[in-house]
Amino acid sequence: MTHADESTAATTIPEEHRADVETLWEYHNMHHELRPCDVGIGLGSHDLGVAIIATDLYHRGMYPLLVFTGANAPTTIDRFPRGEAVHYAEYAIKNGVPTGAVLVEPGARNTQQNFELTRDLLDGRGITTRSAIVMSRPYQQRRAYATAKKLWPELDVICAPNPLDLDDYVRSIGDVSRVISMLVGDTQRIRVYAERGFAIPQNIPVPVEAAYGRLAEAGYDSRLV
């Protein structure tokens, strides 16, 4: 196999799993309609697409203030050594967002802390926040929404990922197994985190449960809790 063939294989969804992957991808897409909000909140991760869409929406006038939140995880320390939120903020400022319109919350290590520490940061600055556009990895939308509504129930939450289709997203990450495993892990977390009181319950349709089970059984289980 040539290097080009290996690269293609690493970013190609196996045909036998495509329907199930597409089912989970669609489930996590909240399909929220964008409208102007008080603040944008970009959740840190390995995905620079969060900073890309956050910057784009600022320039489109969707919010006057942008908060990036996130420390590091084992999966991001090499890519973002100064911290996820710091690197996201640097991207936004480099691409025309005024420094005064960007806040950095550098301590959060999970989605719960993203919202708790962002709320503390905004409250500490006396910033009234009734609505927010939350930007995350595409497959994190539903979990981010459920977590925000549990921890910050009065906040009007709109989810907005970087608008790539599934195949383009896999190519942008460069690792199809990682993307599928993350989709499987986030699907499990919808149920488990609600049971643990970390998030509000979300309906999981039978076809989604079935797709999740088949993919986990196929070995995409590295992100299960």
Side-chain angles (χ1 to χ4, degrees):
M1 182 181 289
T2 67
H3 178 72
D5 290 336
E6 291 176 351
S7 178
T8 299
T11 58
T12 301
I13 299 168
E15 202 55 41
E16 65 270 26
H17 300 312
R18 172 169 285 277
D20 288 336
V21 174
E22 289 177 346
T23 294
L24 298 193
W25 178 263
E26 177 63 19
Y27 172 67
H28 290 284
N29 189 339
M30 299 296 286
H31 295 288
H32 285 166
E33 184 175 343
L34 288 176
R35 62 181 182 275
C37 288
D38 294 329
V39 66
I41 302 174
L43 307 186
S45 71
H46 61 271
D47 183 2
L48 187 63
V50 174
I52 293 171
I53 185 62
T55 299
D56 176 60
L57 293 182
Y58 175 86
H59 289 308
R60 288 163 58 185
M62 288 295 165
Y63 36 73
L65 181 66
L66 178 54
V67 182
F68 289 115
T69 167
N72 271 125
T75 56
T76 65
I77 187 68
D78 290 336
R79 186 172 192 188
F80 301 133
R82 293 184 301 283
E84 299 155 5
V86 171
H87 281 267
Y88 283 6
E90 290 172 350
Y91 174 91
I93 292 166
K94 181 179 179 181
N95 286 276
V97 179
T99 302
V102 179
L103 295 178
V104 172
E105 184 296 294
R109 297 186 179 278
N110 54 53
T111 308
Q112 180 176 347
Q113 290 181 2
N114 285 143
F115 289 109
E116 290 175 338
L117 297 179
T118 295
R119 185 176 190 174
D120 289 346
L121 176 63
L122 293 169
D123 286 349
R125 290 173 174 258
I127 298 170
T128 300
T129 309
R130 300 183 182 89
S131 60
I133 296 178
V134 174
M135 291 143 290
S136 68
R137 296 164 291 185
Y139 52 79
Q140 192 186 3
Q141 289 176 73
R142 186 171 292 276
R143 179 162 63 87
Y145 176 83
T147 302
K149 296 306 290 184
K150 178 70 176 185
L151 300 173
W152 204 342
E154 69 275 20
L155 185 68
D156 183 12
V157 178
I158 297 172
C159 293
N162 197 25
L164 296 178
D165 67 23
L166 173 58
D167 290 295
D168 285 342
Y169 183 76
V170 171
R171 283 189 287 270
S172 77
I173 299 302
D175 186 342
V176 66
S177 293
R178 180 181 189 177
V179 172
I180 298 175
S181 294
M182 297 292 266
L183 271 166
V184 170
D186 260 57
T187 303
Q188 182 203 37
R189 283 164 174 78
I190 295 298
R191 182 184 67 255
V192 172
Y193 284 4
E195 292 172 349
R196 296 180 182 179
F198 301 157
I200 63 169
Q202 297 276 285
N203 178 53
I204 304 177
V206 171
V208 173
E209 286 276 20
Y212 156 77
R214 286 189 292 265
L215 290 171
E217 190 172 319
Y220 296 104
D221 56 3
S222 63
R223 294 294 297 172
L224 296 180
V225 294

